């Protein structure tokens, strides 16, 4: 059994457990388990509809209370009452409290609704008075204006006459008028409709001055206009009234007599004053009630949500026949079993249950969920791996190695001291402000980057390191230790040196003999053949890194085979895989190192490794004289090729044939299969079973032994591996390609934006131009080189891990451990 | 107009995607099986929570009323439709407007009938479909003759051209209102049909099919409902929309029909209608003609989603959603009235 300390290497050891919870203690136990957050409940009634489950009425009541709380919160928002933040996260309330909560909030709700109703009625009354006031004023000014400003329109004259008549109370013809208010946006339709219905028989005047009122029901502000309509006859009055009704215009009585109007306006002022007084009191009353609620509303909201979550969980449980206890099944990590027991005990104590709740481990054939304990540093790396697929239960977790290999492979492509330093500092800033950023969400983009801050930190650090090796700081070199190349006095005359643009440096004369101690010699930065030199170096480097990485992956598969006691896979899969990889590609790596050490500019033979590798397979047993790297090469190569070729049928046929043989063997021995099944059934009953997965269980021995299927699976795996070795090696060349692209881009940026300006020769003005040019250069460095190139290198590193590395050992078909938790913060994360 | 399909996504791609997303939210057979098992409306609400409807009932206090569910279903649909309409460009915006015209017709008829029965306008307004509301709607009550109705109210609405044929009618009585409704609908369908044909491409094809069926369905139903009323055969023939498959031969025959059997005989000449008229009955296990028509409509609307780059999906989605609302309300009604015998009479969509 692995101890808890290796948990990042393999997922936690899990066990399936059955919980027997006393009916009256179940709620408290689940509440305690939820606060602990260590058990993953399984749905025991997947066939039962949501509304047919046992605790559905409780869930519903919780939802009802939740609705009431939401209503109250909405009212608070309307009234600008800020609910108090609860300082301490409350634990889930006792189930008995639900009833109390329900009545309490019911009372609040009805109280508030009543207050709101009263308020609304009052507000409506106030609105009416206010509008009446506005209408009367409008009418008053209208009648005055008509008299003062003579209007040329014929209609206006008639109106004027009529107005005079009205005022004198001697209306001869029955001209009437009505006035009222209408919503501003209905104004034109209203006017048009009146015209269409009454033709020229009505005179409409809508005031230009709009006024703002608050709708008592919704609290929205609405612009309204006042209008006055003159017309003749009662029939027309009916129609006009209908139109007003239809357009939701409000009509107000307006006395014909100017004096009466004046009296009415004065009377209104006092009435309005009274209503407003009452209205204010009503508002105060409402705010008081809301403030009273606001102290605890947030706390209750959390409580009720916790309660609902617990009842939801209880719905997943089975009820046993006697109805006395609930049976739950859950996955839990073995190391937390004691905590879980404690939590259960706490729950039972809290509900004063006489019978303790029992946790009972059960043996299952089902694969448990995968649970990797992570901290804030490893989370990001674990999520890189999980994004590809969640690890199978207890298989080797590549996240452990990803912590180093991922930033390293990234840095190989992003090798630049300067850019790496910027990236590193950015990550340091993120980590420094960590606590602040954690508190609030800053948008999806930023949060993504923030969550990966430790990945970025390591990526930056490694980029500095590879940048030192490539000796590249934003396309310039650092000459720290002094170059290893010198100009001997006698080689070139001073005149030649000063007048020639390019000077050859034959290594036999200009190399001092002591190489640059760390990384690439800075003199290469000036060399014409810099690219040729670096390309060869980086290409070989990527092949070496790639093959090492793949070999490492294959070796990790050994850990899986050993852990799962899968001897067949070790002999029939792992060994031929390693031999195949080493005999061809391992040999290539050795040749690279050999050539680096032995072959120099002055060597007679400078064989191309690529050609050597191709000819090794194509023309077995012959090596051309000028292509020979060492004596006896032909023999060694024949041996290696034969070895590799043998591995192919070994991988292809070994495992299926062995399984077939064993199948026959077992069949003969046991006679029939039901016996085996009976044996395992008996084992299941033993609660103290050893949890070691046996070899039998790991092998596909069942009632149906499908040779064809196993063979095809194995064939696919073999073909994928053999071809994969070649294509994956080629795929690692992206390390070289991206690193080249990065270096070239950064050089282009420097040459185009800085060098050109420096070489302009425009005197002191150059300083200002350079000032601008630097901003351009810095901007494009960040945008193109850091962000875009960084993203591209990140994606390629991701691909190398997911495809080239993980397909050697990682199956990733597991599912995540999702414990039931009452942690409020975690809920908010999910939302 | 092949080029309109190349450039379709430039203007309408987003909305089409949105619409197809909405379509994925339509309840499936599995959902209905769960819904019919519900014991109370609360159960119904609980199950709907796990579907695309989500929390649409969460702020409704218990006990729930069927009317509340109906209102909320409609409200959600209208919000979604308005969203599409507000983001649409011509000609899609025009197309969506065309869809709303049919609701306007229904609203007008509802209001006229209501006024005829002396109902207050404020009582009628909430019953109108929000998709077909227009500004002058509330003033309909002032009109006492069709001519007045046209001159005062409808002349400013997009329905004006459809109404021209109705102006001759004399009085507003039950019979005339029905005639107005059908004449309006006929003019509307023909105009909508032409509009879709002018758009061309897949829209013309898909919408053509749907609208032809709609026209024929109206012709059948008008004929069947006219038996035993005062409506003369000539008048009846004027109400048939002339854009369906029945036009012209079938309509001529329908115009002469005297009873249900003769209508059925006309349907025999047309493959799809023959299927609809087969197996129709009023028994408890048999389906009514109306349901058969609905089923066929659902089928056509579902088919609309099989093609891309056309407007038919918007129409199809709206109609399917409406059918779904009818289904949910039907089930809710059966549950509320504790009459589970007919609960399975909804029209399944997927």
């Amino acid at each position: 059994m692995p101890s808890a300390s290796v948990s990042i290497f393999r997922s936690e050891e899990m066990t399936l457990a059955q919980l027997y919870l006393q009916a009256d203690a179940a709620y408290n136990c689940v509440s305690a388990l939820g606060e602990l957050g260590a058990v993953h409940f399984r749905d025991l009634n997947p066939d039962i509809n949501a509304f047919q489950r046992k605790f559905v009425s409780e869930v519903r009541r919780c939802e009802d209370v939740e609705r009431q709380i939401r209503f109250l919160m909405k009212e608070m928002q309307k009234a600008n009452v800020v609910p108090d933040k609860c300082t301490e996260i409350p634990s889930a309330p006792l189930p008995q409290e639900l009833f109390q909560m329900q009545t309490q909030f019911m009372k609040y709700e009805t109280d508030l609704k009543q207050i709101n109703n009263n308020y609304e009625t009052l507000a409506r009354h106030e609105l009416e008075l206010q509008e009446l006031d506005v209408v009367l004023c409008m009418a008053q000014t209208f009648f005055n204006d008509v008299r003062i400003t003579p209007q040329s329109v014929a209609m206006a004259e008639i109106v004027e006459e009529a107005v005079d008549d009205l005022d004198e109370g001697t209306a001869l013809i029955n001209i009437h008028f009505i006035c009222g208010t209408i919503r501003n946006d209905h104004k034109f339709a209203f006017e048009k409709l009146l015209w269409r219905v009454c033709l020229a028989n009505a005179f409409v005047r809508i005031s230009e001055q709009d006024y703002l009122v608050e709708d008592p029901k919704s609290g929205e502000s609405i612009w309204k206009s006042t209008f006055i309509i003159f017309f003749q006859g009662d029939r027309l009055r009916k129609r006009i009234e209908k139109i007003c009704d239809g357009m939701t215009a409000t009509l107000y009585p307006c006395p014909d007599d100017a004096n009466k109007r004046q009296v009415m306006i004065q009377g209104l002022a006092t009435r309005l004053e009274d209503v407003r007084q009452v209205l204010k009191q009503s508002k105060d009353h409402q705010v008081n009630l809301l403030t009273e609620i606001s102290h605890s509303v947030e706390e209750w909201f959390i409580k009720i949500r916790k309660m609902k979550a617990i009842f939801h969980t209880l719905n997943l449980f089975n009820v046993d026949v006697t109805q006395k206890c609930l049976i739950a099944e859950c996955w839990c990590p073995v190391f937390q079993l004691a905590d879980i027991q404690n939590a259960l005990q706490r729950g039972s104590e809290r509900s004063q249950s006489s019978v303790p709740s029992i946790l009972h481990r059960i043996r299952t054939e089902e694969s448990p969920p995968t649970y990797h304990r992570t901290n804030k540093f490893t989370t990001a790396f674990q999520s890189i791996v999980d994004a590809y697929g969640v690890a199978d239960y207890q298989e080797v977790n590549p996240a452990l190695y990803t912590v180093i290999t991922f930033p390293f492979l990234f840095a190989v492509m992003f090798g630049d001291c300067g850019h790496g330093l910027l990236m590193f500092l950015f990550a340091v800033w993120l980590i420094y402000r960590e606590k602040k950023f954690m508190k609030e969400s800053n948008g999806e983009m930023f949060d993504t980057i923030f969550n990966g801050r430790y990945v970025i930190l390591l990526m930056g650090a490694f980029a500095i390191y590879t940048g030192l090796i490539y000796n590249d700081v934003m396309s310039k070199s650092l000459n720290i230790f002094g170059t290893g190349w010198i100009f001997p006095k006698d080689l070139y005359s001073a005149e030649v040196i000063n007048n020639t643009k390019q000077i050859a440096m034959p290594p036999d004369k200009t190399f001092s003999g002591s190489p640059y101690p760390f990384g690439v010699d800075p003199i290469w930065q000036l060399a014409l053949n810099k690219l040729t030199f670096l390309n060869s170096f980086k290409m070989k480097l990527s092949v070496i890194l790639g093959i090492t990485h793949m070999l490492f992956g294959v070796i990790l598969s050994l850990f899986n085979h050993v852990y799962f006691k899968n001897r067949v896979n070790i002999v029939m899969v792992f060994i031929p895989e390693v031999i195949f990889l080493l005999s061809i590609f391992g040999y290539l790596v050795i040749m690279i190192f050999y050539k680096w050490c032995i072959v120099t500019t002055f060597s007679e033979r400078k064989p191309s490794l690529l050609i050597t590798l191709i000819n090794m397979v194509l023309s077995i047993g012959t090596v051309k004289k000028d292509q020979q790297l060492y004596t006896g090469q032909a023999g060694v190569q024949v041996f290696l090729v034969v070895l590799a070729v043998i591995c192919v049928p070994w991988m292809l046929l070994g495992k299926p044939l062995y399984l077939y043989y064993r199948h026959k063997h077992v069949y003969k021995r046991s006679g029939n299969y039901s016996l085996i099944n009976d044996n395992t059934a008996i084992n299941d009953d033993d609660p103290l079973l050893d949890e070691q997965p046996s070899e039998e269980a790991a092998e596909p021995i069942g009632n149906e032994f499908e040779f064809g299927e196993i063979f095809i699976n194995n064939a696919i795996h073999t073909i994928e591996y053999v071809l994969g070795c070649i294509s994956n090696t080629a795929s690692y060349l992206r390390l070289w390609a991206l690193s080249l692209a990065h270096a070239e881009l950064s050089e282009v940026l420097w040459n185009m934006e800085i060098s050109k300006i420096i070489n302009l020769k425009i005197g002191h003005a150059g300083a200002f131009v350079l000032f601008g040019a630097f901003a351009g250069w810095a901007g494009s460095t960040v945008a193109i080189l850091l962000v875009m190139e960084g993203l591209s290198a990140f994606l390629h590193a991701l691909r190398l891990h997911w495809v080239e590395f993980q397909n050697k050992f990682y199956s990733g078909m597991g599912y995540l451990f999702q414990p039931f938790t009452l942690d409020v913060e975690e809920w908010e994360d999910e939302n | 107009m092949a080029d309109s399909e190349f450039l379709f996504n430039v203007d309408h791609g987003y909305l089409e995607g949105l619409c197809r997303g909405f379509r994925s939210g339509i309840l499936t057979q599995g959902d209905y099986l769960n819904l019919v098992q519900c014991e109370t409306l609360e159960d119904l609400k609980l199950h709907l929570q796990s579907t695309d409807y989500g929390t649409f009932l969460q702020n409704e206090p218990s006990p729930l009323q069927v009317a509340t569910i109906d209102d909320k279903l409609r409200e959600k649909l209208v919000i979604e439709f308005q969203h599409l309409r507000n983001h649409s460009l011509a000609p899609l915006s025009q197309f969506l407007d065309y869809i709303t015209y049919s609701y306007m017709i229904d609203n007008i008829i509802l209001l006229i009938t209501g006024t005829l029965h002396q109902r207050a306008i404020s009582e009628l307004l909430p019953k109108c479909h929000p998709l077909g509301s227009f500004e002058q709607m509330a003033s309909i009550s002032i009109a006492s003759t069709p001519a007045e109705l046209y001159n005062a109210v409808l002349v400013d609405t997009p329905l004006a051209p459809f109404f021209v044929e109705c102006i001759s009618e004399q009085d507003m009585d039950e019979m005339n209102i029905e005639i107005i409704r059908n004449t309006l609908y006929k003019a509307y369908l023909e105009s909508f049909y032409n509009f879709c044909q002018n758009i061309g491409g897949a829209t013309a094809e898909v919408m053509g099919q749907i609208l032809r069926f709609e026209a024929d369905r109206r012709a059948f139903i008008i004929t069947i409902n006219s038996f035993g009323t005062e409506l003369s055969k000539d008048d009846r023939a004027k109400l048939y929309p002339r854009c369906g498959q029945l036009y012209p031969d079938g309509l001529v025959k329908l115009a002469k029909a005297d009873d249900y059997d003769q209508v059925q005989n006309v349907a025999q000449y047309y493959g799809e209608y023959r299927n609809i008229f087969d197996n129709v009955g009023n028994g408890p296990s048999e389906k009514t003609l109306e349901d058969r028509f609905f089923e066929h409509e659902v089928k056509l609307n579902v088919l609309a989603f099989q093609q891309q780059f056309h407007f038919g999906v918007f129409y199809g989605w709206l109609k399917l959603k409406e059918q779904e609302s009818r289904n949910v309300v039907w089930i809710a009604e059966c549950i509320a009235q504790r009459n589970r015998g007919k609960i399975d009479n909804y029209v399944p969509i997927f």
Side-chain angles (χ1 to χ4, degrees), chain A residues 22-29 94-96 344-355 357:
Chain A
Q22 293 305 308
D24 47 350
Y27 177 89
N28 282 320
C29 290
L94 290 169
Q96 298 87 301
L344 285 177
Q345 207 175 343
R346 272 203 306 279
S348 306
E349 272 165 19
R350 205 173 153 202
S351 42
Q352 288 149 358
S353 158
S354 48
V355 191
S357 301

Side-chain angles (χ1 to χ4, degrees), chain A residues 793-813:
Chain A
F794 182 93
L795 289 179
H796 283 283
L798 203 63
R799 183 225 143 92
L800 287 178
H801 278 83
W802 282 353
V803 181
E804 275 76 22
F805 177 54
Q806 291 182 5
N807 78 0
K808 301 285 182 290
F809 65 98
Y810 189 61
S811 88
M813 304 287 279

Side-chain angles (χ1 to χ4, degrees), chain A residues 168-455:
Chain A
E168 292 154 17
T170 59
L172 297 174
I173 40 168
N174 45 354
I175 284 191
H176 306 286
F177 72 92
I178 55 173
C179 43
T181 61
I182 188 162
R183 284 178 66 127
N184 195 15
D185 43 356
H186 288 167
K187 201 158 79 174
F188 296 107
F190 179 61
E191 220 168 338
K192 211 159 156 188
L193 199 62
L194 278 172
W195 186 82
R196 283 200 200 285
V197 175
C198 314
L199 297 175
N201 295 321
F203 176 80
V204 185
R205 174 60 61 89
I206 298 181
S207 72
E208 300 293 321
Q209 284 163 334
D210 297 337
Y211 62 97
L212 199 61
V213 293
E214 203 173 84
D215 184 32
K217 187 147 188 128
S218 61
E220 281 172 58
S221 297
I222 310 168
W223 283 99
K224 282 190 137 186
S225 309
T226 52
F227 62 85
I228 182 162
I229 307 169
F230 291 88
F231 55 87
Q232 277 181 324
D234 272 343
R235 258 190 76 199
L236 212 49
R237 172 191 286 270
K238 264 192 194 141
R239 308 189 99 194
I240 290 175
E241 276 172 358
K242 268 188 182 171
I243 294 176
C244 293
D245 194 20
M247 297 302 264
T248 61
T250 332
L251 295 179
Y252 289 97
C254 180
D256 296 347
D257 194 330
N259 293 330
K260 279 187 192 161
R261 279 197 296 268
Q262 201 57 46
V263 173
M264 217 167 150
I265 291 175
Q266 280 158 1
L268 265 180
T270 49
R271 275 167 71 192
L272 251 179
E273 192 56 40
D274 291 348
V275 171
R276 283 189 180 144
Q277 197 70 34
V278 182
L279 204 59
K280 192 174 165 292
Q281 279 170 7
S282 167
K283 183 88 197 167
D284 286 347
H285 187 44
Q286 184 198 26
V287 171
N288 281 342
L289 180 67
L290 285 175
T291 325
E292 183 196 324
I293 303 169
S294 77
H295 297 311
S296 53
V297 71
E298 196 113 311
E299 191 185 322
W300 284 109
F301 199 45
I302 293 174
K303 277 188 178 174
I304 197 72
R305 275 157 70 201
K306 281 193 171 181
M307 198 176 219
K308 193 170 127 188
I310 292 171
F311 281 122
H312 260 303
T313 312
L314 286 175
N315 270 337
L316 302 178
F317 298 173
N318 252 338
V319 185
D320 88 336
V321 253
T322 59
Q323 296 280 329
K324 279 199 181 135
C325 68
L326 292 170
I327 304 168
E329 267 181 33
C330 62
W331 293 107
C332 44
V334 172
F335 77 95
Q336 274 184 315
L337 275 176
D339 296 341
I340 294 167
Q341 295 279 21
N342 282 340
L344 285 177
Q345 207 175 343
R346 272 203 306 279
S348 306
E349 272 165 19
R350 205 173 153 202
S351 42
Q352 288 149 358
S353 158
S354 48
V355 191
S357 301
I358 300 159
L359 182 142
H360 165 72
R361 284 174 71 170
I362 45 176
R363 170 76 192 276
T364 174
E365 290 298 310
E366 259 179 89
S367 159
T370 308
Y371 176 36
H372 293 295
R373 270 188 288 173
T374 53
N375 54 27
K376 64 181 177 182
F377 181 77
T378 50
T379 310
F381 295 98
Q382 187 67 53
S383 61
I384 286 178
V385 171
D386 285 348
Y388 173 80
V390 176
D392 279 2
Y393 177 59
Q394 297 231 309
E395 87 171 319
V396 168
N397 176 17
L400 176 62
Y401 310 102
T402 305
V403 173
I404 296 303
T405 54
F406 186 85
F408 178 67
L409 288 190
F410 169 85
V412 171
M413 294 179 267
F414 197 77
D416 188 310
C417 255
H419 300 150
L421 188 67
L422 288 178
M423 190 175 267
F424 183 77
L425 291 177
F426 174 65
V428 167
W429 174 70
L430 284 182
I431 291 165
Y432 181 69
R433 308 293 297 275
E434 197 172 63
K435 288 224 172 80
K436 184 177 164 290
F437 289 136
M438 288 259 240
K439 271 184 206 146
E440 70 244 37
S441 169
N442 295 289
E444 201 182 356
M445 281 281 276
F446 181 82
D447 281 348
T448 312
I449 293 171
F450 178 69
N451 290 335
R453 59 197 180 278
Y454 288 101
V455 183

Side-chain angles (χ1 to χ4, degrees), chain A residues 350-594:
Chain A
R350 205 173 153 202
S351 42
Q352 288 149 358
S353 158
S354 48
V355 191
S357 301
I358 300 159
L359 182 142
H360 165 72
R361 284 174 71 170
I362 45 176
R363 170 76 192 276
T364 174
E365 290 298 310
E366 259 179 89
S367 159
T370 308
Y371 176 36
H372 293 295
R373 270 188 288 173
T374 53
N375 54 27
K376 64 181 177 182
F377 181 77
T378 50
T379 310
F381 295 98
Q382 187 67 53
S383 61
I384 286 178
V385 171
D386 285 348
Y388 173 80
V390 176
D392 279 2
Y393 177 59
Q394 297 231 309
E395 87 171 319
V396 168
N397 176 17
L400 176 62
Y401 310 102
T402 305
V403 173
I404 296 303
T405 54
F406 186 85
F408 178 67
L409 288 190
F410 169 85
V412 171
M413 294 179 267
F414 197 77
D416 188 310
C417 255
H419 300 150
L421 188 67
L422 288 178
M423 190 175 267
F424 183 77
L425 291 177
F426 174 65
V428 167
W429 174 70
L430 284 182
I431 291 165
Y432 181 69
R433 308 293 297 275
E434 197 172 63
K435 288 224 172 80
K436 184 177 164 290
F437 289 136
M438 288 259 240
K439 271 184 206 146
E440 70 244 37
S441 169
N442 295 289
E444 201 182 356
M445 281 281 276
F446 181 82
D447 281 348
T448 312
I449 293 171
F450 178 69
N451 290 335
R453 59 197 180 278
Y454 288 101
V455 183
I456 299 177
L457 183 81
L458 285 191
M459 290 190 322
F462 276 89
I464 297 175
Y465 167 70
T466 47
L468 283 175
I469 288 184
Y470 295 160
N471 208 341
D472 195 351
V473 185
M474 306 198 177
S475 81
K476 299 284 125 191
S477 288
L478 293 172
N479 190 2
I480 303 173
F481 306 105
T483 174
W485 297 69
I486 42 162
F487 275 115
K489 292 254 163 54
D490 50 342
L491 190 58
Y492 294 111
S493 65
E495 193 186 345
V496 175
I497 290 175
N498 286 335
N499 293 336
T500 352
K501 273 205 164 168
Q502 291 159 3
I503 296 173
M505 295 183 73
D508 52 341
K509 291 180 185 132
T510 52
F511 183 56
S512 68
S514 56
Y516 197 70
F518 184 81
V520 175
D521 195 306
I523 198 155
W524 284 104
Q525 188 64 29
L526 305 170
L528 254 190
N529 57 348
K530 167 189 163 195
L531 266 189
T532 331
F533 169 72
L534 280 181
N535 277 351
S536 150
F537 165 68
K538 287 181 178 173
M539 194 170 11
K540 283 171 181 159
L541 201 66
S542 14
V543 169
I544 295 169
L545 290 177
I547 289 166
T548 320
H549 201 207
M550 287 193 292
L551 183 66
F552 182 55
V554 176
I555 289 170
L556 283 182
S557 75
L558 176 66
F559 285 89
N560 275 340
H561 300 326
V562 170
Y563 186 81
F564 294 117
K565 300 244 161 88
N566 201 335
R567 242 170 278 146
V568 193
N569 275 359
I570 300 178
V571 180
M572 298 301 180
V573 179
F574 171 71
I575 294 180
E577 274 183 357
V578 170
I579 294 177
F580 182 82
L581 187 66
L582 284 181
S583 63
I584 293 183
F585 300 96
Y587 175 63
L588 175 65
V589 171
I590 292 169
M591 281 200 296
I592 290 174
F593 279 109
Y594 181 80

